[in-house]
Amino acid sequence: MEIVILAVVIAVVLVGAVSGLVIGGRRKKQLPPAERPSATPTITTPPAEPRVGDEAETPRDESRRTIEEVDLPTAEAPEAPPAEAEPAPAAPEVEVPEPTEGRLVRLRARLARSQNALGKGLLTLLSREHLDEDTWEEIEDTLLTADVGVVPTQELVERLRERVRVLGTRTPQELRTLLREELLKLIATDAPRAVKTDNGLETPAVVMVVGVNGTGKTTTTGKLARVLVADGKSVVLGAADTFRAAAADQLQTWGERVGARTVRGPEGGDPASIAFDAVKEGIAEHADVVLIDTAGRLHTKAGLMDELGKVKRVVEKQAPLDEVLLVLDATTGQNGLVQARVFAEVVNITGIVLTKLDGTAKGGIVVAVQRELGVPVKLIGLGEGPDDLAPFDSEAFVDALIGD
């Protein structure tokens, strides 16, 4: 009996062992083989934080398109507001020039303040108790210093000597009257002093303004336009000074101030052509006067003077030339006479315009230039204002020289 029980126990143990071996084998087939641990552990470095400009991913080798190859959606441009029409430039306001009569009074007062050294100096010398040779030499020096000229000075001194000797007593008023009469004789001329602006023809009067560089020709032409407009004349200006930069602009500005039209051409153009067109336009518009401003000429340059003669000849193909006014800087003194002499050989000078008489000029230049050319001084300038140009008046000029 004991043997049977022992055999059953052994059989149960054997069955349990076999079952355990079968189940263990199945589990070993399902699980992967275990890796053997390495001798040194592997330390993995944490990923670095991205910096500015780094790609978020590892770049891949793939084709990329440029911005020109990408079709971008076209945005509709916003409609621009309708442009406002620019206002037309306002026409320059036309000025009313000062009448000639008022200018003479004002200019006489200004001349008296700046040019009376000649007259007062002579009156002081003539008022001496004894007029010896030294005194008469001083009188001559005073006249020569005032640019009267050698021959006119000698004539004046001789006449003064004779009249003082006959007069005897010399009161201040008598001396002033005597000196006034003799100076008027020196300045007197038989030629008319008025600028010729009425030729009695159907064509306008043509006035050409000439002179050397720097005498103020363009400014004088503009001021003369104001004088003529103040006298009720219609004026056309010809900007034939094409060599000086902005000369035409300057003349046009003068014209616009008084409502006178300016005929001009390209800078560096042919002066004779522009003068021709100015006269042509003046005839078409039935203007009273055409004023032609010519380029400044160096009286020592024969080529430039010949070109001035060409301008004169071309103008006369359209209409007769009524006036050729020579502008002289009164401060140049005897040098102005040399200039006048050369210009008179090229064009027929009919009148003189003396500018800058309000500066350091000597009043005697009026006598000298009239004697040299045999033509009258017709206009004088005594300042830089637009109306500081007036017709020359002999009596007003002498009275301003010797004082009231």
Side-chain angles (χ1 to χ4, degrees):
M1 190 64 178
E2 293 178 355
I3 297 172
V4 174
I5 294 171
L6 180 60
V8 172
V9 172
I10 294 171
V12 172
V13 172
L14 291 173
V15 171
V18 172
S19 298
L21 291 174
V22 172
I23 293 172
R26 289 179 179 177
R27 288 180 178 176
K28 288 180 179 179
K29 289 181 180 179
Q30 292 178 355
L31 294 175
E35 297 180 358
R36 287 192 296 178
S38 59
T40 56
T42 303
I43 301 174
T44 304
T45 305
E49 295 184 1
R51 291 174 296 178
V52 177
D54 290 346
E55 295 286 347
E57 296 180 353
T58 304
R60 292 172 294 177
D61 295 334
E62 61 180 8
S63 61
R64 298 187 181 185
R65 292 181 296 172
T66 62
I67 191 170
E68 289 80 2
E69 298 173 342
V70 177
D71 295 331
L72 299 177
T74 57
E76 296 183 0
E79 295 184 1
E84 298 182 359
E86 295 184 0
E93 183 178 353
V94 178
E95 303 175 6
V96 179
E98 183 180 342
T100 305
E101 292 77 10
R103 297 184 188 190
L104 290 175
V105 175
R106 178 168 53 84
L107 293 180
R108 175 181 173 179
R110 184 177 299 176
L111 183 65
R113 290 195 301 270
S114 61
Q115 298 296 333
N116 57 10
L118 170 62
K120 287 189 175 180
L122 292 176
L123 286 175
T124 300
L125 292 172
L126 291 172
S127 300
R128 290 181 179 178
E129 185 176 354
H130 300 288
L131 296 179
D132 52 15
E133 288 300 322
D134 292 339
T135 302
W136 288 113
E137 287 183 4
E138 290 184 44
I139 293 174
E140 285 187 2
D141 291 341
T142 301
L143 292 170
L144 291 173
T145 304
D147 290 330
V148 173
V150 176
V151 176
T153 294
Q154 292 175 347
E155 293 178 3
L156 179 58
V157 170
E158 288 300 322
R159 288 202 299 266
L160 287 174
R161 276 178 178 253
E162 183 66 24
R163 294 196 62 178
V164 167
R165 186 166 53 250
V166 173
L167 185 63
T169 59
R170 304 181 302 278
T171 65
Q173 185 58 38
E174 289 174 335
L175 287 173
R176 184 184 180 281
T177 301
L178 181 151
L179 184 58
R180 183 179 186 273
E181 291 175 356
E182 294 301 328
L183 287 175
L184 282 174
K185 289 180 183 179
L186 279 182
I187 297 175
T189 177
D190 295 333
R193 292 193 183 276
V195 177
K196 188 177 181 180
T197 57
D198 187 4
N199 55 15
L201 304 175
E202 295 182 358
T203 58
V206 181
V207 179
M208 190 164 71
V209 183
V210 301
V212 300
N213 299 316
T215 56
K217 286 183 301 69
T218 302
T219 300
T220 298
T221 305
K223 291 181 179 181
L224 178 56
R226 295 179 67 89
V227 172
L228 297 176
V229 171
D231 291 340
K233 303 289 185 181
S234 59
V235 179
V236 171
L237 297 172
D241 185 355
T242 60
F243 297 117
R244 184 170 64 87
D249 294 335
Q250 181 183 356
L251 187 65
Q252 185 171 349
T253 301
W254 278 103
E256 290 174 348
R257 291 179 180 177
V258 292
R261 196 167 74 84
T262 302
V263 177
R264 55 185 297 179
E267 186 174 332
D270 183 17
S273 175
I274 297 172
F276 182 88
D277 291 340
V279 177
K280 184 178 179 180
E281 291 294 327
I283 295 173
E285 295 181 10
H286 302 286
D288 295 320
V289 185
V290 176
L291 294 178
I292 301 175
D293 175 35
T294 62
R297 308 289 165 177
L298 295 174
H299 61 286
T300 57
K301 300 294 183 181
L304 296 177
M305 297 303 293
D306 291 342
E307 187 173 312
L308 183 61
K310 174 188 173 184
V311 174
K312 177 179 180 293
R313 292 190 300 272
V314 170
V315 166
E316 290 176 334
K317 293 180 180 180
Q318 280 281 358
L321 192 58
D322 297 281
E323 289 274 9
V324 179
L325 299 178
L326 174 62
V327 180
L328 290 178
D329 183 343
T331 62
T332 59
Q334 295 298 314
N335 188 42
L337 299 182
V338 178
Q339 301 170 9
R341 206 176 295 124
V342 177
F343 274 90
E345 295 174 358
V346 179
V347 290
N348 183 27
I349 303 296
T350 60
I352 304 296
V353 182
L354 281 177
T355 62
K356 306 177 186 179
L357 268 172
D358 58 328
T360 59
K362 314 300 191 303
I365 189 63
V366 175
V367 178
V369 72
Q370 287 189 161
R371 285 292 188 94
E372 180 68 28
L373 297 182
V375 296
V377 173
K378 294 192 172 185
L379 297 164
I380 55 173
L382 294 173
E384 298 181 357
D387 292 319
D388 287 344
L389 182 76
F392 181 78
D393 182 89
S394 301
E395 294 188 1
F397 183 76
V398 170
D399 288 340
L401 286 180
I402 63 177
D404 295 329

